[in-house]
Amino acid sequence: MEKFNTIKSSAVPLPIEEVDTDQIIPARFLKATTREGFGDNLFRDWRYHSGDSAKEDFVLNNPIYAGEILVAGKNFGCGSSREHAAWALHDYGFRVVVSSFFADIFRSNAINNGLLPVQVSGEFLDKIFQAIEANPKAQFKVDLEAQTFSIVASGDTASFAIDPYKKMCMINGYDDIDYLLSIRDEIEEFEAKQLIP
Amino acid sequence: MGKTLFDKIWEAHVVTEVEGGMQVIYIDRHLIHEVTSPQAFAGLEKRGLPVFRTEKTVATADHNVPTQNQHLPIQEKLSRFQVDKLTENCAKFGVELYGLGHPYQGIVHVIGPELGITQPGRTMVCGDSHTSTHGAFGAIAFGIGTSQVEQVFATQCLLQNKPKRMRITVDGTLQPGVVSKDIILYIISKLTASGGTGYFVEYAGSAIRSLSMEARMTICNMSIEMGARGGLIAPDETTFNYLRGREFAPKGDAFDQAVAYWQTLYTDEDASFDQEYVFNAADIEPMLTYGTNPGMGIKISEHIPTPDSADNPATFRKSLAYMGFEGGESLLNKPIDYVFIGSCTNSRIEDLRMVAEYVKGKQKAGNVNAMIVPGSQQVITQARAEGLDKVFIEAGFDFREPGCSACLGMNEDKIPKGAYCVSTSNRNFEGRQGPGARTILASPLMAAATAIAGKIVDVRNEQ
């Protein structure tokens, strides 16, 4: 996994709530057997007409907006456990998703792929949307070590939570398997003691 | 201080804890399918690792399989490649596969219980969010991503934060025509699509206790639709009777020993929950969804809420515009184009019997395309033995072969753009059943009544 530390970037606004993983990557694009290339079909049905022409009014098709940060409404990533959603966002170029609420499985999948979920209050989320509306090139700074998200122009800063272990993993580019393999003896001891398997 | 059912099982599976509070949880059974496993197998291969406990891992092909002519090679090239990849990976890594053509093949959350792989007190995972289904047996079961599938392959363990505990009690007696699907749609409509996030839910109360195992599975299945990682129900005689004699259930003395342990799996009287809800079964009616997430549900007697009453009117309007509905209108008498009866929520033999009993001697409406997709080979075999297939065909239904089918539209079974589908599946997301498809979630009974009437009706008023 690639290391994550700080990111300074403009952001793409998606002020829609309950964005489920079927929207992020529809099921018909889950037939690939590798992790690459899902970015092409990110938000496929919001982004393209059925004839593959771009929907002009969708934010990813608006050249004014760009950046490594996606800002979305609450309960982002609900629904299916498909990790392809995190792969698609990452493959497209996002490194951070900001929302006022994330679905559990998506949050965990994102972190396992170097995509940082930043949960802020509803009020702060509105401030971010307003900052982008005022200036689509507005810069934001994400500091994982300090666990802060800042609107650069105004200096407004929110702190966000992340499990200390997962934070260490993201900063160093570790994944859970390395750790779990290192405790194989403990796992085998547990198995030997288990009464009803 | 007493313990909850969830605490008892969780604590029995903690291998160790890491700094910061995450725990290493041992996983007793790992179910896999063709869509979320190939990248995990590839990861193992890259690291030069075997599957650590092949005997605790079971595979099937379900998401991507056709529901017609399963004896022939899969026509669609990418689907065939993915299913073949599963076969190849299972052979290479020594994992038992119930693939197409095998008498145990079926939707992963249908076959786990029917084979007795799902047992009380176990921890179970699968790269599929509806793994919560298995909680009906008093197991901790939840969906995971592909990176975690790889972790379980490699170590039979996962790093997890312990979820918070919620109890949802449903007491009383259900009205005639109201079934377990209505209970869970009702609960989700009350809690919203995110009301359970961060929690593991225990379902309790007399209305839950009175349900069969299959009806309990329908409830636990949709726990994820309110954001909960999983839901579970304390095992009881109904559970033990269901498991007795199943292929992988303990046999003889071992079964009695298992039951003795399973009987310890309940929430102590003085245990506490982080959140509790209590509902009255008599208040539940046949339920329908009107929007684009499972929390957007109403009773059949109710009207669609107006956007102004919603938390976020813009999101609500977008959802109603997609569905082609207006705030304030009733769903009664809405003409329907498709009826889909199937999915890991409602494709078991009891669901099929319920539908068959209703449609027997009737004829589906001419404007409706109605499809029934059984959950597994065992379900279809049983349905044929009982003559249900003939009932369906005589009533004008299309009776298919097992798979996930139009629940998620990965295979050919899709609902066309703009068409309305009353579906017994679990998700009414935009495009879930095909690009532009409009899904209305309902019980198998309501779906059957819709197919016959050609429009939405209140099954309580139908004969």
Side-chain angles (χ1 to χ4, degrees):
Chain A
M1 196 169 79
E2 90 191 12
K3 295 179 183 180
F4 189 107
N5 201 346
T6 58
I7 277 179
K8 199 174 159 191
S9 169
S10 53
V12 176
L14 187 68
I16 299 170
E17 296 182 349
E18 319 280 349
V19 175
D20 59 78
T21 54
D22 274 80
Q23 306 317 311
I24 300 171
I25 182 89
R28 62 189 190 279
F29 300 110
L30 306 186
K31 297 184 187 194
T33 55
T34 63
R35 291 174 181 240
E36 292 79 34
F38 289 101
D40 293 344
N41 293 310
L42 175 68
F43 294 117
R44 179 76 200 194
D45 294 334
W46 286 354
R47 200 167 143 202
Y48 298 103
H49 293 287
S50 48
D52 290 348
S53 61
K55 289 183 177 173
E56 300 295 334
D57 58 349
F58 186 62
V59 69
L60 292 190
N61 295 324
N62 187 337
I64 294 174
Y65 301 105
E68 295 177 283
I69 302 170
L70 178 70
V71 187
K74 77 164 197 264
N75 204 19
F76 188 84
C78 57
S80 157
S81 60
R82 61 189 69 165
E83 193 163 315
H84 311 66
W87 298 337
L89 288 160
H90 194 276
D91 190 57
Y92 183 85
F94 290 116
R95 294 294 174 268
V96 176
V97 185
V98 184
S99 177
S100 55
F101 198 85
F102 288 97
D104 281 338
I105 306 179
F106 175 79
R107 179 197 293 271
S108 140
N109 287 341
I111 292 176
N112 284 337
N113 287 280
L115 176 70
L116 180 66
V118 170
Q119 186 165 320
V120 297
S121 67
E123 295 75 44
F124 197 84
L125 189 71
D126 288 341
K127 272 190 189 173
I128 300 171
F129 281 131
Q130 284 157 16
I132 302 171
E133 200 177 332
N135 173 16
K137 302 279 180 249
Q139 294 289 300
F140 302 91
K141 190 179 167 200
V142 188
D143 185 335
L144 177 55
E145 181 61 53
Q147 295 181 222
T148 55
F149 183 93
S150 311
I151 304 171
V152 173
S154 66
D156 277 334
T157 297
S159 58
F160 61 86
I162 182 169
D163 178 84
Y165 169 80
K166 297 307 291 187
K167 174 178 165 181
M168 182 276 290
C169 285
M170 278 194 90
I171 288 174
N172 294 294
Y174 299 158
D175 59 33
D176 291 349
I177 291 193
D178 301 324
Y179 168 72
L180 291 171
L181 287 170
S182 77
I183 60 157
R184 272 275 283 270
D185 291 349
E186 273 182 79
I187 295 170
E188 289 184 15
E189 276 168 37
F190 174 90
E191 288 179 320
K193 283 188 309 198
Q194 208 184 14
L195 296 175
I196 300 202
Chain B
M1 184 66 153
K3 289 179 178 174
T4 68
L5 166 63
F6 177 79
D7 290 330
K8 288 179 183 177
I9 304 171
W10 182 273
E11 286 169 12
H13 290 85
V14 175
V15 175
T16 187
E17 188 168 311
V18 300
E19 212 180 309
M22 287 187 93
Q23 293 176 316
V24 175
I25 297 299
Y26 191 81
I27 302 302
D28 294 322
R29 288 296 180 278
H30 186 195
L31 306 174
I32 65 166
H33 61 84
E34 74 275 25
V35 179
T36 58
S37 67
Q39 295 88 349
F41 277 119
L44 278 191
E45 200 151 23
K46 203 169 145 199
R47 293 172 201 259
L49 293 169
V51 170
F52 181 51
R53 293 291 178 245
T54 50
E55 72 279 14
K56 297 185 177 186
T57 313
V58 176
T60 192
D62 57 3
H63 281 61
N64 227 335
V65 302
T67 55
Q68 284 176 310
N69 296 319
Q70 286 187 348
H71 60 289
L72 299 176
I74 300 176
Q75 294 294 306
E76 214 270 326
K77 198 175 127 204
L78 286 173
S79 298
R80 186 174 69 238
F81 183 76
Q82 200 174 49
V83 172
D84 287 350
K85 195 78 190 168
L86 179 70
T87 308
E88 182 190 315
N89 280 327
C90 287
K92 196 187 294 175
F93 287 88
V95 172
E96 183 81 30
L97 168 67
Y98 304 136
L100 277 184
H102 194 286
Y104 293 166
Q105 180 267 340
I107 303 176
V108 67
H109 309 309
V110 174
I111 70 168
E114 75 185 4
L115 291 171
I117 295 167
T118 308
Q119 292 175 20
R122 277 188 169 163
T123 49
M124 298 179 66
V125 295
C126 174
D128 188 284
S129 60
H130 294 110
T131 307
S132 57
T133 310
H134 308 269
F137 291 78
I140 291 183
F142 55 92
I144 57 176
T146 297
S147 295
Q148 293 171 313
V149 171
E150 188 179 338
Q151 290 161 26
V152 180
F153 276 160
T155 68
Q156 206 61 34
C157 285
L158 278 178
L159 266 160
Q160 291 285 302
N161 281 307
K162 190 177 179 185
K164 289 182 284 186
R165 295 151 303 185
M166 179 188 289
R167 179 163 58 190
I168 298 176
T169 304
V170 187
D171 280 321
T173 308
L174 292 171
Q175 301 174 33
V178 177
V179 296
S180 72
K181 180 64 165 288
D182 299 305
I183 300 180
I184 190 63
L185 285 173
Y186 174 90
I187 292 171
I188 301 166
S189 77
K190 297 290 182 192
L191 269 70
T192 78
S194 60
T197 306
Y199 292 91
F200 224 92
V201 179
E202 179 177 345
Y203 300 97
S206 58
I208 304 290
R209 289 257 77 86
S210 69
L211 299 173
S212 70
M213 281 318 297
E214 296 192 354
R216 292 178 189 184
M217 286 184 232
T218 300
I219 298 210
C220 290
N221 171 276
M222 289 190 73
S223 303
I224 183 70
E225 307 313 335
M226 51 185 163
R229 282 305 287 279
L232 75 178
I233 296 171
D236 58 13
E237 285 303 318
T238 305
T239 321
F240 312 147
N241 289 336
Y242 177 95
L243 282 169
R244 192 175 282 114
R246 302 250 163 204
E247 177 77 25
F248 296 107
K251 304 276 161 27
D253 289 348
F255 186 79
D256 298 335
Q257 283 164 23
V259 168
Y261 167 60
W262 296 342
Q263 282 169 332
T264 68
L265 301 173
Y266 56 86
T267 291
D268 297 329
E269 291 242 347
D270 55 343
S272 72
F273 288 84
D274 300 291
Q275 183 72 256
E276 290 230 43
Y277 294 95
V278 179
F279 298 111
N280 179 1
D283 186 48
I284 305 172
E285 293 180 18
M287 298 291 297
L288 296 165
T289 60
Y290 58 85
T292 54
N293 74 58
M296 301 174 82
I298 49 174
K299 298 175 188 173
I300 183 74
S301 68
E302 290 177 331
H303 292 219
I304 298 173
T306 56
D308 299 334
S309 65
D311 278 350
N312 184 328
T315 298
F316 192 89
R317 275 195 195 92
K318 179 179 184 295
S319 183
L320 286 197
Y322 180 86
M323 291 300 295
F325 292 148
E326 301 284 340
E329 69 175 335
S330 163
L331 289 171
L332 267 175
N333 298 318
K334 284 270 175 203
I336 295 299
D337 311 295
Y338 284 77
V339 165
F340 172 66
I341 295 168
S343 88
C344 57
T345 313
N346 282 125
S347 63
R348 299 181 177 82
I349 192 67
E350 288 179 10
D351 298 313
L352 269 48
R353 285 178 190 146
M354 189 191 308
V355 172
E357 193 188 359
Y358 185 89
V359 306
K360 189 168 188 169
K362 300 189 180 90
Q363 199 57 39
K364 108 183 149 58
N367 60 308
V368 172
N369 182 319
M371 178 160 69
I372 301 180
V373 183
S376 71
Q377 298 297 338
Q378 296 208 63
V379 171
I380 199 171
T381 302
Q382 182 64 27
R384 284 176 180 146
E386 296 178 20
L388 306 186
D389 54 334
K390 290 189 186 67
V391 173
F392 297 140
I393 292 161
E394 279 164 17
F397 286 69
D398 188 3
F399 187 61
R400 298 289 188 94
E401 293 170 288
C404 297
S405 181
C407 171
L408 82 167
M410 258 195 100
N411 72 351
E412 302 78 358
D413 307 340
K414 293 181 176 65
I415 309 303
K417 187 176 177 182
Y420 287 102
C421 178
V422 168
S423 177
T424 68
S425 56
N426 39 58
R427 289 190 172 132
N428 51 345
F429 297 149
E430 282 184 36
R432 170 79 178 181
Q433 297 194 287
R438 291 160 160 172
T439 303
I440 297 168
L441 301 177
S443 76
L445 208 48
M446 282 290 281
T450 301
I452 301 300
K455 59 183 185 175
I456 292 178
V457 291
D458 185 343
V459 71
R460 294 173 301 177
N461 302 334
E462 304 295 307
Q463 284 306 312

